[in-house]
Amino acid sequence: MSDRDLSTFVHGCADAMAGIGGNRFWPRLTALLGRLVRHHSSVVFSYTGSDPPVFVFGGLDSEVARGRFHEYRERAYLLDPFYDRFRAGTADAVHRLRDVSADRFFRSVYFRQYFRKTGLCDEVGIFCRIGDERLIIVSLMRRIDEPAFARAEVRKIL
């Protein structure tokens, strides 16, 4: 990272931190992450115990998102590979959807019944544990007409 890129990133960190506790935090944080990894959109969910996920923030423009992810929060999350990782107790980490999915993700029930409706081709989940029973997942996403996330890109977040 060049000195100029580092300076821009540090200012982005300060900007995001200034938004903590307000409605500008999540947009600022996902914009900051966009300086590391290009993405089309983002969404943030909170998972606690066996409760359905809570929608925290979304920057995805699709029919699914306009409904505040109702279908996902009602039942589709139960098939989500990221949710499986949460239930397995995965620690703070960054995961590409393709790395935690079944070998035939694009033939899975989750893909057929839910994911393809989003218009996305790939997703990276940033897992942030808050205690033993709560996890925040910040998902960065790419549309179907974009390339999938490369491992080298994801390593920039680590």
Side-chain angles (χ1 to χ4, degrees):
M1 190 178 275
S2 73
D3 287 346
R4 183 175 179 186
D5 290 341
L6 181 58
S7 176
T8 300
F9 185 78
V10 169
H11 283 90
C13 285
D15 193 38
M17 285 188 276
I20 291 175
N23 61 358
R24 295 184 298 185
F25 173 71
W26 292 111
R28 289 176 176 180
L29 178 65
T30 55
L32 175 64
L33 291 168
R35 293 183 178 151
L36 296 173
V37 177
R38 184 184 55 77
H39 60 278
H40 169 264
S41 53
S42 58
V43 67
V44 180
F45 280 99
S46 174
Y47 300 83
T48 304
S50 59
D51 295 341
V54 174
F55 174 77
V56 176
F57 168 77
L60 174 64
D61 183 26
S62 74
E63 192 64 36
V64 170
R66 283 189 279 285
R68 294 183 59 95
F69 299 92
H70 177 78
E71 183 180 353
Y72 179 81
R73 292 180 292 115
E74 287 294 312
R75 64 187 165 279
Y77 76 93
L78 295 167
L79 301 171
D80 185 347
F82 285 166
Y83 180 73
D84 288 344
R85 286 291 171 127
F86 160 65
R87 297 298 298 154
T90 297
D92 294 345
V94 178
H95 297 286
R96 290 186 316 164
L97 184 61
R98 68 184 53 240
D99 292 335
V100 298
S101 300
D103 290 338
R104 301 176 195 269
F105 175 70
F106 294 102
R107 292 185 182 144
S108 70
V109 173
Y110 178 69
F111 177 81
R112 287 190 328 256
Q113 292 185 359
Y114 176 75
F115 194 82
R116 76 172 162 187
K117 294 177 190 177
T118 65
L120 302 171
C121 77
D122 203 6
E123 183 176 356
V124 169
I126 303 168
F127 287 49
C128 307
R129 279 240 169 240
I130 303 172
D132 292 337
E133 286 289 315
R134 186 163 180 224
L135 177 75
I136 299 286
I137 299 179
V138 178
S139 290
L140 307 178
M141 304 169 204
R142 286 195 177 153
R143 292 182 304 231
I144 199 79
D145 60 344
E146 297 176 305
F149 291 101
R151 281 193 172 100
E153 290 177 289
V154 174
R155 281 194 290 271
K156 291 177 185 179
I157 301 171
L158 301 173

